[in-house]
Amino acid sequence: MKNRRDFLRNTFGLGAGLAAAPRLFAAPTQASGESMDMEHMSQATQRSTRIVSVETPDVPQLPWRMAGGAKEFQLVAEPVKQELMPGKIVNLWGYNGRAPGPTIQVNQGDRVRIVVDNHLPEATSMHWHGFEVPSEMDGAPGSSQDAIPPGGRFVYEFTLHQEGTYFYHSHMAMQEMMGMIGAFIMHPKEPYKPRADRDFAIILQEYAILPNITVPNSMNMEFNWLAFNGKSGPANTPLIVRHGERVRIRLINLGMDHHPIHLHGHQFVVTGTEGGRQPESTWGPGNTVLVGVAQSRDVEFVANNPGDWMLHCHLPHHMMNQMSSMVGPMSRRRDGTPGGLDMERGMGMLRQGSATSEENGPSLGRGMGVGSTAEQRVSNSPLKARNPLQHQDMPGMQRGMQMGEPEGSKDANSVPGFPQDAFMEGSMMAMDRMVDKPENFGLRPGWSGFMAGMMTFVRVLPPDKYDQIMELRKKQEGNKPMKMDMPGMEHKHE
Ligand SMILES: [Cu+2]
């Protein structure tokens, strides 16, 4: 980009996208198959009259059917197993088999009915965050309705006059921390100007899942698993865009932490909040947007810089997986270091005192595991020149884990502070093949060793590479049964 004028033209949308949107949101109709027909329409017509469907990488769309004059959706609140990354399967609570739950997309003005069934072992309630609906449909347990008992059902129905990036979530605080949220996109009657060629949504979540347990500790404030759409890097699916397209990314946060989300290689403008579209007069350039708890932020930019660009939370602890404080230095320090509390107390099962007491507070959740105590010094395990796991016959190797030489200097173990990360992020931890998928095709070998936590790519691709990945995606989808071919499903993958 040569100058500020170019910047304004590109970012504020006076520049045009190079390609027609690959997926269309069939705004005025609901017949399934409609979106296929529309793909044959001329690009010009598409661009002027159609709004692109929102893609939620790694999260399915929730299908609907017309019933009694409303778009009817079904959500089941239930315990789910979610694979954060290969081999890391955790027990969360979510909707329709996953956390976050499926994405709902409707049009401004729609009459919507959502049937919520509670398959949890306790009561729940569904809140429609930011919706201007009658109070008895607000989902606030106790005040606007009775909580939905286990095995119970509540039918929500309302007409939506708003537009923007909204979400649904359980209104039980601890259930929120177990994953119970989903995106709810309201497409505007009149397409936003400038029109986006690609539209993505990402839900930000964090969990404290201590070693040797699969259930988040919703009391713990030290989060060690950070996820975009229920996947931690490098397991999440990159956002694939064509060079020159105008891109919108909708970021949604409902957890215990705020997340400064940073995009490499581009400047963007914030065009919307959890309250809908912002007036253009408020847009100013940036590359990091703080998405606070209970907020959503829409950012838009023209993907004018080809490359594989990181999109990530910039809190350092949120760029890690299985983050356990001090485990690195603990395990390598020559003089030994306190091992932390034992497993039981580390998980917050207190025997005495409160969680925030002087004795317990600093150590909660930080234990090294079975057998370690706060009194015991932990011995060192010097960095080996060659990793013992480097055997081709290990199951991980067969699944594509690449254990290379550790990248430390010869005297690394004598340097105070080394290593800062328990796992030493780097090519040693690469697992390219383990997370292989069309969207990762062509990334630099070893890329996955540097992706963790709330981290993914926006891949701005020249047309030939873009087409190649779309071709691979099509092939892959041809090889497995369609997951989402239910009636009323208006979003089709290419
Ligand atoms: Cu963060």
Side-chain angles (χ1 to χ4, degrees):
M1 209 181 310
K2 283 177 239 95
N3 53 38
R4 172 140 186 104
R5 204 152 144 207
D6 276 355
F7 166 76
L8 291 172
R9 199 187 61 228
N10 288 328
T11 306
F12 291 82
L14 304 163
L18 294 180
R23 266 160 251 176
L24 301 171
F25 192 72
T29 62
Q30 50 273 26
S32 65
E34 189 80 15
S35 52
M36 285 299 276
D37 294 339
M38 283 194 300
E39 278 174 33
H40 298 124
M41 291 166 68
S42 76
Q43 284 188 12
T45 314
Q46 286 176 9
R47 203 169 290 167
S48 60
T49 63
R50 297 296 168 193
I51 294 170
V52 287
S53 169
V54 171
E55 301 170 55
T56 339
D58 302 307
V59 174
Q61 307 284 338
L62 187 62
W64 50 270
R65 62 187 190 102
M66 281 309 285
K71 285 182 179 171
E72 187 174 290
F73 296 88
Q74 298 205 305
L75 283 173
V76 179
E78 60 187 354
V80 302
K81 284 196 187 302
Q82 179 77 24
E83 189 173 54
L84 294 173
M85 63 180 287
K88 186 67 187 179
I89 298 169
V90 295
N91 290 90
L92 304 177
W93 290 5
Y95 299 100
N96 299 19
R98 62 179 336 288
T103 298
I104 295 178
Q105 298 193 51
V106 300
N107 299 315
Q108 190 175 21
D110 276 349
R111 182 81 183 163
V112 171
R113 183 182 310 116
I114 303 128
V115 180
V116 177
D117 284 303
N118 181 10
H119 292 184
L120 295 172
E122 63 179 37
T124 189
S125 184
M126 188 75 97
H127 175 55
W128 313 96
H129 193 99
F131 290 36
E132 294 167 7
V133 293
S135 124
E136 63 272 19
M137 289 292 133
D138 187 50
S143 56
S144 77
Q145 68 170 88
D146 291 335
I148 313 169
R153 165 180 285 188
F154 194 95
V155 179
Y156 296 89
E157 186 167 336
F158 30 70
T159 302
L160 295 168
H161 63 266
Q162 295 162 275
E163 46 68 30
T165 304
Y166 295 83
F167 45 102
Y168 62 88
H169 67 83
S170 161
H171 210 280
M172 312 300 225
M174 287 312 209
Q175 292 178 5
E176 292 171 18
M177 290 309 298
M178 289 291 284
M180 302 194 71
I181 181 178
F184 197 119
I185 310 297
M186 301 183 203
H187 291 281
K189 261 195 191 118
E190 288 299 316
Y192 297 133
K193 288 190 183 95
R195 179 193 172 287
D197 301 297
R198 305 302 294 263
D199 202 336
F200 299 93
I202 297 177
I203 293 180
L204 319 173
Q205 289 174 301
E206 68 264 322
Y207 301 105
I209 305 171
L210 299 168
N212 300 325
I213 191 166
T214 59
V215 182
N217 181 337
S218 45
M219 286 285 283
N220 196 303
M221 293 289 288
E222 190 164 2
F223 303 102
N224 58 352
W225 283 96
L226 290 299
F228 278 164
N229 288 338
K231 295 279 182 190
S232 297
N236 36 33
T237 301
L239 281 49
I240 306 295
V241 308
R242 203 193 279 252
H243 182 209
E245 284 184 318
R246 186 178 178 87
V247 179
R248 179 181 303 126
I249 303 175
R250 304 165 185 253
L251 303 157
I252 297 170
N253 181 19
L254 189 77
M256 289 293 295
D257 267 342
H258 308 291
H259 302 286
I261 304 295
H262 174 61
L263 173 65
H264 290 207
H266 295 80
Q267 310 308 319
F268 56 56
V269 289
V270 177
T271 58
T273 73
E274 68 280 357
R277 188 77 166 173
Q278 297 207 137
E280 201 171 323
S281 57
T282 66
W283 301 357
N287 48 58
T288 308
V289 59
L290 183 62
V291 191
V293 172
Q295 295 185 326
S296 79
R297 289 290 178 270
D298 295 355
V299 300
E300 291 182 22
F301 59 97
V302 175
N304 54 11
N305 195 0
D308 302 321
W309 301 106
M310 283 181 176
L311 175 74
H312 62 97
C313 175
H314 225 301
L315 289 188
H317 287 186
H318 294 184
M319 300 155 69
M320 297 179 183
N321 290 332
Q322 192 77 283
M323 201 269 297
S324 298
S325 51
M326 302 304 287
V327 166
M330 264 183 185
S331 62
R332 303 241 188 253
R333 264 177 59 171
R334 296 218 161 142
D335 55 344
T337 189
L341 291 177
D342 60 39
M343 205 59 179
E344 266 189 333
R345 281 185 294 163
M347 283 189 289
M349 288 181 242
L350 300 176
R351 292 185 194 133
Q352 57 196 8
S354 75
T356 51
S357 69
E358 201 171 299
E359 185 206 354
N360 296 321
S363 281
L364 267 189
R366 300 178 176 196
M368 290 279 287
V370 180
S372 75
T373 73
E375 293 76 42
Q376 196 177 39
R377 307 291 279 184
V378 174
S379 63
N380 312 311
S381 71
L383 186 68
K384 291 200 169 69
R386 211 172 159 74
N387 195 293
L389 297 179
Q390 212 168 13
H391 296 297
Q392 289 302 324
D393 54 358
M394 282 191 57
M397 299 302 291
Q398 282 156 11
R399 289 185 64 192
M401 201 158 182
Q402 299 145 243
M403 298 297 281
E405 302 285 323
E407 290 169 334
S409 67
K410 279 199 181 107
D411 60 349
N413 283 315
S414 64
V415 178
F418 172 84
Q420 279 299 312
D421 184 343
F423 298 100
M424 283 184 69
E425 66 219 279
S427 57
M428 183 184 161
M429 290 304 292
M431 51 174 84
D432 298 4
R433 276 172 290 160
M434 233 167 173
V435 294
D436 191 31
K437 63 184 82 166
E439 291 82 357
N440 291 337
F441 179 76
L443 285 170
R444 233 168 145 261
W447 65 273
S448 58
F450 297 84
M451 303 290 282
M454 284 184 173
M455 248 186 175
T456 190
F457 286 116
V458 176
R459 302 192 65 189
V460 179
L461 302 172
D464 57 327
K465 277 195 184 163
Y466 176 91
D467 291 342
Q468 209 173 0
I469 284 179
M470 289 303 142
E471 197 56 40
L472 287 170
R473 201 192 245 180
K474 207 184 285 177
K475 249 185 231 162
Q476 195 192 51
E477 275 170 16
N479 291 339
K480 62 186 180 197
M482 269 293 280
K483 274 190 244 155
M484 299 179 286
D485 56 350
M486 292 172 66
M489 189 61 234
E490 56 189 344
H491 312 278
K492 288 212 189 294
H493 282 282
E494 291 165 280

